[in-house]
Amino acid sequence: MTTHNNPKILVIHGPNLNMLGKREPEIYGKETLDDINHKITLKGSEISLAVETFQSNHEGAVVEKIQSAMGNFNGLIINPAAFTHTSVAIRDAVLLLDMPVIEVHLSNIYKREPFRHKSMLADVVTGQIAGLGTIGYILALEAIADMVQKPK
Ligand code: DQA
């Protein structure tokens, strides 16, 4: 298994996801963001992906991180958290990318308050996973591995 040339996948977590474990555990589960990032990184190495994780509570920081993926990463997995429902800026940043982008939500946003039913990203991403908890990130990695490792 090579490591040097492994495709690079960026995983972005939006606002309040740094509080996972403490934050509404009945909705988001008991795992912390560190637990989740550890699982994601481990899964990445098992399937020959180099994974970098990033979390911010600031919209501009998320936009800049997405911009930084241009030319530096082969795929993006993003849980924009509350920005999902509001951010034209994050949507526009995603539109810059020529790579697979998977939107992940721990909870099923369509089963929750009406304001969560609208995703500003849903129609510009490659696909979306919602409501499966932490495993959603693992499934997103598997899907993205299939996309980036297959010759076009
Ligand atoms: C979330 C759902 C959003 O509505 C919410 O604001 C979050 C987390 C999820 O992972 O289920 O912060 O993106």
Side-chain angles (χ1 to χ4, degrees), residues 11 28 40 44-45 48 50 65-66 92 98 108 116 127 134 139 150 152:
V11 180
Y28 298 116
I40 293 172
S45 64
S48 303
K65 194 69 190 179
I66 295 169
D92 286 350
D98 183 21
N108 181 348
R116 293 185 206 275
T134 308
L139 297 173
K150 239 183 223 159
K152 279 190 193 169

Side-chain angles (χ1 to χ4, degrees), residues 21-145:
K22 296 191 187 83
R23 177 189 181 206
E24 302 176 272
E26 64 292 351
I27 295 176
Y28 298 116
K30 291 193 184 127
E31 282 179 286
T32 66
L33 188 60
D34 278 352
D35 295 335
I36 293 174
N37 282 339
H38 182 74
K39 281 191 183 174
I40 293 172
T41 310
L42 199 68
K43 178 71 186 183
S45 64
E46 281 167 19
I47 60 175
S48 303
L49 297 176
V51 176
E52 180 182 319
T53 62
F54 174 82
Q55 189 275 332
S56 179
N57 295 319
H58 303 277
E59 186 175 10
V62 173
V63 167
E64 284 173 5
K65 194 69 190 179
I66 295 169
Q67 290 176 358
S68 80
M70 289 172 77
N72 292 312
F73 285 89
N74 305 98
L76 172 67
I77 294 172
I78 182 165
N79 182 347
F83 295 145
T84 307
H85 317 297
T86 60
S87 183
V88 177
I90 290 175
R91 174 192 174 91
D92 286 350
V94 163
L95 282 169
L96 286 165
L97 301 180
D98 183 21
M99 64 182 74
V101 179
I102 303 185
E103 176 184 350
V104 172
H105 299 285
L106 293 161
S107 65
N108 181 348
I109 54 176
Y110 304 101
K111 242 166 91 168
R112 300 184 60 195
E113 304 97 315
F115 67 85
R116 293 185 206 275
H117 297 179
K118 171 77 190 165
S119 163
M120 299 297 287
L121 272 77
D123 63 319
V124 297
V125 293
T126 311
Q128 188 198 62
I129 297 173
L132 304 183
T134 308
I135 200 171
Y137 292 100
I138 303 301
L139 297 173
L141 264 185
E142 285 183 356
I144 227 163

